[in-house]
Amino acid sequence: MVEGPSREVDRRGLHSILKRRGFFWPSFEIYGGVAGFFDLGPLGSLLKDNIERIWKQRFVVEEEFLLVDCPSINPEAVFKASGHLEKFSDHLTRCQDCGVPFRADHLLESLVKNPDTLDKEELEEALTQYGVACPDCGGKLGPLEEFNLMFSTHIGPGNEKRAYLRPETAQSIFLDFNSLYRFNRERMPFGVAQIGRGYRNEISPRQGMIRLREFHMAEGEFFYDPEEDTFPRFERYRDKEVPLVPNTDPERTISRELGSAVSEGIISSRVMAHFMGATFSFAEDIGIPKEAIRFRQHEASEMAHYAMDCWDLEVSTSWGWVETVGIADRSAYDLSQHSKGSGSQLTADRKFEIPVERVINRLEGDMKVLGPVLRSDAGAVMEVLSRMDPEFISSALETSETIPITVGDRTVEVPSNGIRIVKGTEKVHRESYIPSVIEPSFGIDRLMVGLLENNYREQAASPLSDDESEEPYRVISLPPGTAPIKAGVFPLVNKDGLPKIASEIDLKLKREGLVTYMDTSGSIGRRYARMDEVGTPFCITVDHDTKKDRTVTIRERDTGAQVRVGIDDLPELLNGLIHERVAFSSLG
Amino acid sequence: MVEGPSREVDRRGLHSILKRRGFFWPSFEIYGGVAGFFDLGPLGSLLKDNIERIWKQRFVVEEEFLLVDCPSINPEAVFKASGHLEKFSDHLTRCQDCGVPFRADHLLESLVKNPDTLDKEELEEALTQYGVACPDCGGKLGPLEEFNLMFSTHIGPGNEKRAYLRPETAQSIFLDFNSLYRFNRERMPFGVAQIGRGYRNEISPRQGMIRLREFHMAEGEFFYDPEEDTFPRFERYRDKEVPLVPNTDPERTISRELGSAVSEGIISSRVMAHFMGATFSFAEDIGIPKEAIRFRQHEASEMAHYAMDCWDLEVSTSWGWVETVGIADRSAYDLSQHSKGSGSQLTADRKFEIPVERVINRLEGDMKVLGPVLRSDAGAVMEVLSRMDPEFISSALETSETIPITVGDRTVEVPSNGIRIVKGTEKVHRESYIPSVIEPSFGIDRLMVGLLENNYREQAASPLSDDESEEPYRVISLPPGTAPIKAGVFPLVNKDGLPKIASEIDLKLKREGLVTYMDTSGSIGRRYARMDEVGTPFCITVDHDTKKDRTVTIRERDTGAQVRVGIDDLPELLNGLIHERVAFSSLG
């Protein structure tokens, strides 16, 4: 992740502003802090809200993803089936002198390319080869252990019901597939979205907001029929040109229209390409400049255990190119796993207007034989047989008199002569299948960092004539839609009734749902500076003319341009400016 | 909680609709479910979003509470200081035959009044007195154990760093007090808000969405100076009349204007009364009818360990009156506890234009004595002394030559002759104090249940002439602001180009941020019924006249009234109807 050219941002300077001005700060500071946990302060929380609102507008309202909201605590069975219990782990080594634990691949970052793709043996080899010692005390490192990254807990009294905090919001969507498919009136394809927290018990996180143990995510799971050829909504993004770093040539960034990237085989499907387009547009919408974005394809060894293919949207930051969104092709992996794990079929139906011929190869029970022997179990056994793979018992059928079949939590011995294998072809009107899944998964915290760093600028000389400080003048040029505060409201002086008018305007704008900040202290220049530093796009000043003609000035942050407008037009005008229906340059 | 008259709602009928139509369903159903966990489906998630948006509008935008967003995992030190580690527990008893655990007070619910107010001894006595046996198998119940209700986990590898999932979002706000006070430019009073999940490892939850182990909350902590007499913003709610059940006469509901309730001493302060007013208005805003709301004051024995006084907003449901919001006076409890626990002073400053006389009684270090002895520690020791309670060491000062003082994580032996107790009076321009806190704490899941149950109605006869089903006609009359879907969009027939026009209208409304649902199947009556059942306030129908004059019909859910309006006016008109700026009856 941390590779490539890093943006030249004074990270320390910016992040100290972000802390002081209430974007984010380390959690539990009065208790000494805990690595990997951050609080969003008042401006960070509003920024996150705005990003999530824009995400919902694109994915939930316009792409019609069904929004769900499920528990973050999940019982063990869920992660046993999903593979996280077995595979969601990192390799840990502890210093044998000071006892500090390290993530083995992180110790190799400056020595080996993509150390996170190495397996246990390769990591051990590389650590030995490069003679890596404890970076804290120089001590000898201990043997590698697999450390599962899920936080574990127990539900209810006693320790019998083990559970984990979700490492991703996706799993609950897969569990609910049948309910969601029914809710969608059994129509395919459809998407499901969830916004919420993910948890990852990192061994030793040391990268601020980039590597968190508790983080904010927004995920979409788009379920579709892999045999369906058409995907009309791709039209929306077919001509969109994006920068790509395919895994066939990871040193080079190429630029392609998404449609061409699919036809050239660079991107594996139109569904994948569609969500890459939607993701790129979303990143632009919230205000990350195009030049700071690229798509990088995972190398095979780098992919999560559930992924067939994965493209990351990376943003250029002071940490280098950082993965902020992963768009993974999870194929039928998860629905298959949970079907097996739970015994519930998670499938959709494919309907044919003209029946199609299908090769069949399945087991059937013979009720005449099974009924008298199995009595009340016969029905359930018939059902289980119809879902079993014939290969599984075909040889046993010839050699054994009975076959053990699991029904619920019991095993029933079923006479072989009551089971037959049916092969051949048949015409079907419908058949069930396991849908494929494309998952765009967004890391909201990283998006915030990328957004803030790429919109931050310092001017050596302060434009405030009355400012004698040595501090550079700082501006965060957030677009109006993402800016935490939409407008500052200032009375020019604190007398002559101006504060009262300003306060009425402030309240009126708040009642319209706009977050405003009334500021009565310091020079107007100082008040502009406070707002510029936190990304506020507009400032409204009430002056003596306001009392004569009920007009105020609006100033635009990036140009410093000012126009006079009527108080009564303000709510509608500001709403227009914020939703970018009105251009500031068209006023006055 | 479950007392008083319960609403006559067919709970089973309603809740089966709520499940089928995607409001909520039990989590992990394919794995057999786990009590106390629910998923919000597509309509439940939108409903929750709308409730939270209205909450933010009232508390964050209009009351200017600072919004924060902090981790749900907190290290043990936080809950040691807050008192949750010691006191946040229930009494558990296990059946000695079947092993099932029960919450002791729940077993006494029909036998004793307010069993949750009993202590361990009283519970044991009552269980014996009434001969309570296991409700599942009739077995003998085992001895009572205290069971802490926090979910526990560990941060990082190894088990050394114990942590818990927060039982409330409040604690992180207290931890951040100093940063927030600085962010607010050291002005008092101010509020801080957090929306997020709370966790409570209930022993044996059996009340659906009412008693969850993981739930959605919105909390505000309002910090104020308890010595400040004025509270001008109370004007907003002074004349608001609300139903009250004071703990002096818990059998009777009285009606009072909030201002009178304060002057009669029924409500302890204007700050408390203000937030009761804001809470009541919020509950009305989201659509809970006035008649279904009351405020009940906690009895002393019922209060949480941090509360001095508490009023619950209760909503009448099929479970009886259910606590949905608690407005607690937490006084200076939490800030004091975390000051002690962390060694960081969490205080605000009171400034006096005219200096006031204060009795002083504090420790001072003598730098002339301490400097040469303690060298680089002297400054830190002076600082610690200034914050210590003199009573704590006054006798030691007379008898010992040195006093052990803790500086950071070390103990320094400080010569007694370098410490003096300063008593007397002095004139001060400022002094620090620990702010008091009023906390309105909202249970979003319970608000949803109260809202849905109180807006649900069944009509025996279906108004659909073409409907021959025996099912009653079901309507959920949610106000437009909370309704998950704002409008249904229907082409009258699926030909003659009507679906294309409907689809263009649908997209246009979606681009305006409105959640709409296009439906092309079944009769128009059937489509109205689908929308009525999920609370959609408006339906738009495209018919043949639309092609002639670009008009459509809008139908209002509760009256069934229809008017024709122009397509181009739709976005603005619908926005007006949803924000209740335009009355439907004023159209056409």
Side-chain angles (χ1 to χ4, degrees):
Chain A
M1 183 192 75
V2 183
E3 54 159 71
S6 66
R7 284 201 73 242
E8 284 177 31
V9 161
D10 170 12
R11 189 198 299 165
R12 187 180 292 238
L14 169 59
H15 285 254
S16 95
I17 294 173
L18 295 179
K19 183 178 174 183
R20 182 164 47 81
R21 298 305 308 271
F23 281 90
F24 27 73
W25 51 67
S27 306
F28 323 120
E29 274 194 305
I30 64 169
Y31 287 104
V34 181
F37 292 94
F38 269 76
D39 292 346
L40 302 184
L43 297 186
S45 300
L46 292 173
L47 176 61
K48 170 181 157 269
D49 251 26
N50 291 336
I51 291 175
E52 290 181 350
R53 188 180 40 71
I54 294 170
W55 194 89
K56 275 184 244 177
Q57 174 61 24
R58 184 165 288 271
F59 289 94
V60 178
V61 182
E62 294 179 24
E63 294 270 351
E64 296 189 90
F65 277 46
L66 307 174
L67 190 65
V68 297
D69 192 287
C70 306
S72 53
I73 299 177
N74 282 222
E76 185 163 44
V78 172
F79 299 114
K80 208 165 158 181
S82 73
H84 285 88
L85 206 54
E86 197 189 335
K87 292 174 190 156
F88 188 66
S89 55
D90 279 338
H91 292 97
L92 171 159
T93 172
R94 269 179 205 277
C95 172
Q96 297 191 307
D97 289 350
C98 71
V100 172
F102 297 96
R103 218 178 110 170
D105 58 335
H106 283 181
L107 297 175
L108 290 163
E109 234 151 35
S110 54
L111 304 165
V112 179
K113 203 171 140 51
N114 296 338
D116 54 325
T117 65
L118 303 183
D119 65 21
K120 189 177 176 192
E121 216 161 87
E122 293 165 331
L123 284 168
E124 270 168 347
E125 216 169 299
L127 288 168
T128 312
Q129 184 190 334
Y130 292 99
V132 177
C134 171
D136 283 6
C137 79
K140 192 169 160 13
L141 295 171
L144 296 198
E145 308 160 32
E146 293 229 5
F147 176 67
N148 192 291
L149 298 175
M150 290 191 292
F151 285 97
S152 77
T153 189
H154 294 92
I155 299 171
N159 285 340
E160 55 266 33
K161 202 170 214 100
R162 185 176 275 277
Y164 297 90
L165 293 180
R166 62 182 179 201
E168 53 174 1
T169 71
Q171 291 307 320
S172 45
I173 296 176
F174 301 130
L175 302 188
D176 284 349
F177 177 78
N178 286 346
S179 302
L180 293 163
Y181 178 54
R182 268 197 305 275
F183 176 85
N184 205 45
R185 298 161 75 185
E186 307 195 352
R187 289 168 191 174
M188 293 291 289
F190 69 100
V192 184
Q194 184 161 199
I195 296 179
R197 293 172 189 224
Y199 300 82
R200 203 181 152 110
N201 198 5
E202 295 283 353
I203 291 170
S204 168
R206 297 184 182 202
Q207 284 174 289
M209 288 281 287
I210 299 295
R211 195 164 290 282
L212 294 172
R213 282 168 159 156
E214 180 169 344
F215 43 91
H216 300 92
M217 14 181 20
E219 295 192 300
E221 310 297 327
F222 186 76
F223 297 99
Y224 65 103
D225 182 349
E227 292 189 8
E228 173 64 51
D229 280 336
T230 63
F231 188 57
R233 64 169 114 170
F234 181 46
E235 284 313 314
R236 184 161 177 196
Y237 299 112
R238 180 186 293 277
D239 299 332
K240 191 166 183 71
E241 198 168 324
V242 297
L244 300 171
V245 185
N247 62 13
T248 47
D249 185 2
E251 302 303 322
R252 217 159 56 91
T253 305
I254 57 175
S255 186
R256 284 290 183 289
E257 285 179 1
L258 285 163
S260 317
V262 172
S263 46
E264 289 176 45
I266 300 169
I267 298 173
S268 53
S269 74
R270 275 171 293 181
V271 181
M272 173 65 96
H274 175 81
F275 288 109
M276 289 170 70
T279 299
F280 198 93
S281 297
F282 164 78
E284 289 177 298
D285 279 358
I286 64 171
I288 302 180
K290 230 192 191 80
E291 317 78 66
I293 313 177
R294 70 178 193 187
F295 279 113
R296 191 179 67 79
Q297 189 178 24
H298 278 209
E299 304 199 25
S301 55
E302 190 188 355
M303 230 116 54
H305 64 271
Y306 48 73
M308 297 269 291
D309 189 12
C310 187
W311 287 87
D312 282 346
L313 181 131
E314 297 187 328
V315 177
S316 169
T317 74
S318 61
W319 278 276
W321 286 101
V322 170
E323 165 197 351
T324 55
V325 187
I327 306 165
D329 179 350
R330 298 179 77 133
S331 66
Y333 177 81
D334 303 275
L335 293 181
S336 309
Q337 288 296 104
H338 287 299
S339 292
K340 280 183 224 153
S342 69
S344 295
Q345 293 304 302
L346 303 174
T347 53
D349 272 359
R350 199 177 275 141
K351 288 146 210 149
F352 305 104
E353 295 213 356
I354 304 154
V356 295
E357 195 159 89
R358 290 298 186 202
V359 175
I360 52 168
N361 179 17
R362 64 167 180 251
L363 295 172
E364 260 180 27
D366 181 346
M367 203 50 167
K368 280 197 209 114
V369 179
L370 301 186
V373 183
L374 304 177
R375 291 161 186 267
S376 62
D377 285 333
V381 166
M382 297 279 283
E383 217 277 306
V384 172
L385 286 172
S386 71
R387 287 190 279 112
M388 277 176 71
D389 182 348
E391 301 313 315
F392 201 60
I393 58 162
S394 61
S395 64
L397 264 188
E398 285 165 29
T399 55
S400 309
E401 286 208 1
T402 62
I403 308 282
I405 300 285
T406 308
V407 177
D409 50 5
R410 289 175 312 119
T411 300
V412 177
E413 291 293 329
V414 181
S416 301
N417 65 345
I419 305 176
R420 62 170 175 262
I421 298 178
V422 184
K423 287 190 178 191
T425 60
E426 66 180 357
K427 294 222 164 196
V428 294
H429 274 89
R430 62 160 65 202
E431 64 186 358
S432 61
Y433 68 99
I434 303 182
S436 284
V437 175
I438 296 287
E439 171 193 84
S441 172
F442 295 70
I444 306 289
D445 311 279
R446 291 180 174 192
L447 281 167
M448 284 200 279
V449 171
L451 175 62
L452 290 165
E453 284 200 356
N454 283 289
N455 285 285
Y456 174 68
R457 58 196 158 83
E458 293 182 356
Q459 288 160 226
S462 163
L464 305 180
S465 55
D466 62 339
D467 184 18
E468 294 176 13
S469 77
E470 298 283 311
E471 289 276 289
Y473 193 85
R474 300 180 172 111
V475 182
I476 303 181
S477 290
L478 296 175
T482 20
I485 298 171
K486 304 305 183 195
V489 181
F490 315 146
L492 184 64
V493 292
N494 282 320
K495 55 182 182 181
D496 307 332
L498 303 190
K500 185 162 174 286
I501 301 173
S503 158
E504 281 161 11
I505 291 174
D506 185 60
L507 188 61
K508 194 169 167 187
L509 294 174
K510 284 185 162 73
R511 294 234 162 106
E512 282 289 312
L514 297 168
V515 177
T516 55
Y517 184 76
M518 174 143 158
D519 192 353
T520 59
S521 75
S523 69
I524 287 289
R526 177 65 24 234
R527 287 183 251 175
Y528 283 154
R530 274 188 208 117
M531 290 289 98
D532 288 351
E533 201 180 59
V534 298
T536 306
F538 306 106
C539 289
I540 295 159
T541 303
V542 172
D543 57 24
H544 290 93
D545 286 346
T546 308
K547 291 168 75 178
K548 290 179 217 149
D549 59 6
R550 289 184 60 77
T551 64
V552 292
T553 60
I554 305 193
R555 167 193 176 264
E556 199 270 337
R557 176 194 60 212
D558 297 329
T559 57
Q562 301 192 14
V563 294
R564 267 201 106 77
V565 301
I567 289 181
D568 300 324
D569 302 330
L570 261 181
E572 205 187 320
L573 181 62
L574 258 185
N575 260 318
L577 288 167
I578 287 159
H579 293 102
E580 302 188 49
R581 284 190 301 258
V582 177
F584 191 85
S585 57
S586 72
L587 305 179
Chain B
M1 183 193 70
V2 183
E3 54 160 70
S6 66
R7 282 200 75 241
E8 282 177 34
V9 162
D10 170 12
R11 189 199 297 164
R12 185 179 292 238
L14 170 59
H15 285 255
S16 95
I17 293 172
L18 295 178
K19 182 176 173 184
R20 183 163 46 83
R21 298 306 307 270
F23 282 90
F24 27 74
W25 52 67
S27 305
F28 323 119
E29 274 194 306
I30 64 169
Y31 288 104
V34 181
F37 292 95
F38 268 75
D39 294 346
L40 301 185
L43 297 186
S45 299
L46 293 172
L47 176 61
K48 168 179 158 272
D49 251 27
N50 291 336
I51 291 175
E52 290 181 351
R53 189 180 39 71
I54 294 170
W55 194 88
K56 275 184 242 176
Q57 174 61 25
R58 183 166 288 270
F59 288 94
V60 178
V61 182
E62 294 179 24
E63 294 269 351
E64 295 189 270
F65 276 47
L66 307 174
L67 190 65
V68 298
D69 191 285
C70 305
S72 54
I73 298 177
N74 283 221
E76 186 163 42
V78 173
F79 299 115
K80 207 166 158 179
S82 72
H84 285 88
L85 207 53
E86 197 188 334
K87 293 174 190 155
F88 188 65
S89 54
D90 278 338
H91 291 96
L92 171 160
T93 173
R94 268 179 207 278
C95 171
Q96 296 191 307
D97 289 347
C98 70
V100 171
F102 298 96
R103 219 178 112 170
D105 58 337
H106 283 182
L107 297 176
L108 291 163
E109 235 151 34
S110 53
L111 304 164
V112 180
K113 205 171 139 51
N114 298 336
D116 54 324
T117 65
L118 303 183
D119 66 20
K120 189 176 173 190
E121 215 161 88
E122 292 166 332
L123 284 168
E124 270 168 347
E125 216 170 299
L127 287 169
T128 312
Q129 184 190 332
Y130 291 99
V132 178
C134 171
D136 284 5
C137 79
K140 192 169 161 13
L141 295 171
L144 295 199
E145 306 161 33
E146 292 229 4
F147 177 66
N148 192 290
L149 298 175
M150 290 192 292
F151 285 97
S152 78
T153 189
H154 295 91
I155 300 170
N159 285 339
E160 55 265 35
K161 203 168 213 102
R162 185 177 276 277
Y164 297 90
L165 293 180
R166 63 184 180 199
E168 53 174 1
T169 72
Q171 292 307 320
S172 46
I173 296 176
F174 302 131
L175 302 187
D176 284 350
F177 177 79
N178 285 347
S179 302
L180 292 163
Y181 178 53
R182 269 198 304 276
F183 175 87
N184 205 45
R185 299 162 73 185
E186 307 194 353
R187 289 170 190 173
M188 293 291 289
F190 69 101
V192 183
Q194 184 161 200
I195 297 178
R197 294 173 189 223
Y199 299 83
R200 204 181 152 109
N201 197 6
E202 295 283 353
I203 292 170
S204 167
R206 297 182 183 205
Q207 285 174 288
M209 289 279 288
I210 299 296
R211 194 164 293 281
L212 294 173
R213 282 169 161 156
E214 180 169 344
F215 43 90
H216 300 92
M217 10 180 22
E219 295 192 301
E221 309 298 325
F222 186 77
F223 298 100
Y224 66 102
D225 181 349
E227 293 189 8
E228 173 65 50
D229 280 337
T230 64
F231 188 57
R233 64 169 113 170
F234 181 46
E235 284 313 313
R236 184 161 176 195
Y237 298 112
R238 180 185 293 279
D239 300 331
K240 192 166 180 71
E241 198 169 324
V242 297
L244 301 171
V245 185
N247 62 14
T248 47
D249 185 1
E251 302 303 321
R252 216 158 58 91
T253 305
I254 58 176
S255 187
R256 282 292 183 287
E257 286 180 359
L258 285 163
S260 318
V262 172
S263 47
E264 288 176 46
I266 300 169
I267 298 173
S268 54
S269 74
R270 274 170 296 179
V271 182
M272 173 66 98
H274 175 79
F275 288 108
M276 288 170 71
T279 299
F280 198 93
S281 297
F282 163 78
E284 289 176 297
D285 279 358
I286 64 171
I288 302 180
K290 231 190 190 82
E291 316 79 64
I293 312 177
R294 70 178 193 188
F295 279 113
R296 191 179 67 82
Q297 189 177 25
H298 279 208
E299 303 200 26
S301 55
E302 189 188 354
M303 231 117 49
H305 64 269
Y306 46 73
M308 299 267 292
D309 189 12
C310 187
W311 287 87
D312 283 345
L313 181 130
E314 296 187 328
V315 176
S316 168
T317 74
S318 61
W319 277 276
W321 286 101
V322 170
E323 165 197 352
T324 55
V325 186
I327 305 166
D329 179 350
R330 298 180 76 133
S331 67
Y333 176 82
D334 303 274
L335 293 181
S336 309
Q337 288 296 104
H338 287 298
S339 293
K340 280 184 223 153
S342 68
S344 295
Q345 293 304 302
L346 303 174
T347 53
D349 271 2
R350 197 177 277 140
K351 289 144 209 151
F352 305 103
E353 297 212 357
I354 303 152
V356 295
E357 196 158 88
R358 290 297 187 203
V359 175
I360 53 167
N361 179 16
R362 63 166 179 252
L363 296 172
E364 261 181 25
D366 182 346
M367 202 51 167
K368 281 196 210 116
V369 179
L370 301 186
V373 182
L374 303 179
R375 292 164 186 265
S376 64
D377 284 335
V381 166
M382 298 277 284
E383 219 276 307
V384 172
L385 286 172
S386 73
R387 287 191 279 109
M388 277 177 68
D389 183 348
E391 302 313 315
F392 201 60
I393 58 162
S394 61
S395 62
L397 265 186
E398 285 165 30
T399 56
S400 312
E401 285 205 5
T402 63
I403 307 284
I405 299 285
T406 307
V407 178
D409 49 5
R410 291 175 311 120
T411 300
V412 177
E413 290 293 330
V414 180
S416 300
N417 65 346
I419 306 177
R420 61 169 177 261
I421 297 177
V422 184
K423 287 190 177 190
T425 60
E426 67 179 357
K427 293 223 166 194
V428 296
H429 275 88
R430 63 160 65 203
E431 64 185 1
S432 61
Y433 68 98
I434 302 182
S436 286
V437 175
I438 295 288
E439 171 192 84
S441 173
F442 295 70
I444 306 290
D445 310 279
R446 290 180 175 192
L447 280 167
M448 285 200 279
V449 171
L451 175 61
L452 291 165
E453 284 200 356
N454 282 289
N455 284 285
Y456 174 69
R457 58 197 158 83
E458 292 181 358
Q459 287 159 227
S462 164
L464 305 180
S465 56
D466 62 340
D467 185 19
E468 292 175 14
S469 76
E470 299 283 310
E471 289 276 288
Y473 193 86
R474 299 178 172 112
V475 183
I476 304 181
S477 290
L478 296 174
T482 21
I485 299 171
K486 305 304 183 195
V489 181
F490 315 145
L492 184 64
V493 292
N494 282 321
K495 54 182 184 183
D496 307 332
L498 303 190
K500 184 160 175 288
I501 302 173
S503 158
E504 281 160 13
I505 292 174
D506 185 60
L507 188 62
K508 194 170 170 186
L509 295 174
K510 285 185 161 73
R511 293 233 162 107
E512 283 288 313
L514 298 168
V515 177
T516 54
Y517 184 75
M518 174 144 158
D519 193 351
T520 58
S521 73
S523 69
I524 288 289
R526 174 67 25 229
R527 288 183 250 175
Y528 283 153
R530 274 188 207 117
M531 290 289 98
D532 289 350
E533 199 180 60
V534 298
T536 306
F538 305 107
C539 290
I540 295 159
T541 304
V542 172
D543 56 24
H544 289 92
D545 285 345
T546 308
K547 290 168 76 177
K548 289 179 216 149
D549 60 6
R550 288 183 62 75
T551 63
V552 293
T553 59
I554 306 192
R555 167 194 177 263
E556 200 268 339
R557 176 194 59 211
D558 297 329
T559 57
Q562 301 192 15
V563 293
R564 265 199 110 76
V565 301
I567 288 180
D568 300 324
D569 302 330
L570 260 182
E572 205 187 319
L573 180 62
L574 257 184
N575 260 318
L577 288 168
I578 288 160
H579 294 102
E580 301 187 47
R581 284 190 301 258
V582 177
F584 191 85
S585 56
S586 73
L587 304 178

